[in-house]
Amino acid sequence: MPDLTILDLVANNTLSARVAAALWAAMDARLSFVVTAVPRFAGKSTLMNAVLGLLPPDVPVHRLDGSREQMLRLKGEASGGYLVVAEISQAPVQGYIWAEPVRDLFETLAAGYSLATALHAPDLPGAFDVLCRENGVSDEAASCLNLVLHLSRFGDDPASFWRRLAEVSEVEGVSDGRPKARILFRWRENDDSFEEIEPFRLLDVGPAVLDTRARAIEDRVRSGRTDGEALSDLLRKKSP
């Protein structure tokens, strides 16, 4: 089955077109992000890869295996783009990293890379507990994370699961392992809608640009064309 695109996730209401437009702008700015959730099968990897799908095709995407040799090579190359870690976790799964490899990862980011990863956490402070308290990442290194995307999963079994991007937060810094952050978007359970709380401070993009991009996304979703080809076409015809 092909990977779901950001257009697919708007179509199934995992997130809104406006949130997708903001994430598109965040990828243009090469912001680092982490996707968080509590339960398994919450869609962390699906969302992470869909967001990465908003990158221009010439931006390098380095998928890490967690080895020190790979980290050292990337640090020496300083070739830019995104370092992608499947998950920061103790689980014995290929591509998952914990402890020293996590610290190596954040040191490697200083060579000019952005980060895309996922981890299990109940909320924004919990995500930084995992990074700083459990993995020993310094405040300065953890401050390179710009966005935290928190997913909620509902339903009783895999056949009935549905998901919502419950919060998008912008991180302005980290002190004593605690993030200084602002909520940008929040999902409202009472009417199944997405509310914009505050504007980005890390993006030099105004509301009019986000509105234009959101309309372009909505048009694609209404047309029923949400696959990778449709997304590539949308990115080629990039709005302001």
Side-chain angles (χ1 to χ4, degrees):
M1 179 179 176
D3 290 340
L4 296 181
T5 70
I6 204 78
L7 300 175
D8 292 316
L9 298 184
V10 172
N12 68 23
N13 207 35
T14 297
L15 68 163
S16 68
R18 177 73 174 198
V19 175
L23 295 176
W24 182 359
M27 292 300 94
D28 284 348
R30 309 292 186 266
L31 298 188
S32 292
F33 69 96
V34 59
V35 182
T36 65
V38 174
R40 297 179 64 218
F41 307 116
K44 298 188 303 299
S45 297
T46 297
L47 178 60
M48 179 175 70
N49 287 319
V51 174
L52 288 169
L54 293 165
L55 287 169
D58 61 341
V59 176
V61 175
H62 312 276
R63 295 190 180 270
L64 305 189
D65 59 18
S67 69
R68 188 166 183 81
E69 294 76 17
Q70 186 184 32
M71 299 283 191
L72 289 171
R73 177 176 58 78
L74 288 166
K75 190 182 295 186
E77 290 175 356
S79 54
Y82 274 80
L83 303 185
V84 180
V85 173
E87 190 164 312
I88 294 174
S89 169
Q90 297 184 73
V93 176
Q94 178 68 32
Y96 287 16
I97 66 172
W98 192 256
E100 186 175 359
V102 177
R103 295 188 291 276
D104 288 343
L105 167 67
F106 277 83
E107 288 178 9
T108 305
L109 293 175
Y113 296 99
S114 300
L115 173 64
T117 190
L119 56 82
H120 284 277
D123 50 26
L124 176 72
F128 283 85
D129 277 345
V130 171
L131 294 174
C132 300
R133 184 174 58 83
E134 298 183 39
N135 282 280
V137 176
S138 69
D139 289 348
E140 181 181 5
S143 294
C144 77
L145 266 178
N146 307 121
L147 297 175
V148 177
L149 316 180
H150 186 69
L151 278 165
S152 293
R153 192 210 73 197
F154 304 89
D156 299 322
D157 56 67
S160 65
F161 285 161
W162 54 280
R163 302 150 179 95
R164 293 294 182 266
L165 181 51
E167 281 187 359
V168 177
S169 300
E170 181 182 65
V171 179
E172 297 179 328
V174 180
S175 177
D176 294 327
R178 312 304 288 173
K180 178 184 179 184
R182 304 156 54 250
I183 297 174
L184 305 179
F185 296 95
R186 177 188 289 137
W187 175 62
R188 298 193 304 193
E189 186 172 3
N190 63 324
D191 61 358
D192 195 15
S193 68
F194 296 88
E195 177 184 14
E196 186 166 358
I197 307 297
E198 292 194 51
F200 272 102
R201 290 183 183 168
L202 296 177
L203 293 179
D204 188 20
V205 175
V209 170
L210 296 183
D211 287 343
T212 299
R213 291 189 177 192
R215 285 194 297 270
I217 291 168
E218 288 169 345
D219 288 345
R220 290 301 165 117
V221 171
R222 278 196 295 268
S223 76
R225 294 188 60 228
T226 59
D227 60 8
E229 183 179 347
L231 179 62
S232 295
D233 184 56
L234 177 64
L235 297 178
R236 281 196 300 269
K237 296 175 179 176
K238 182 176 174 180
S239 304

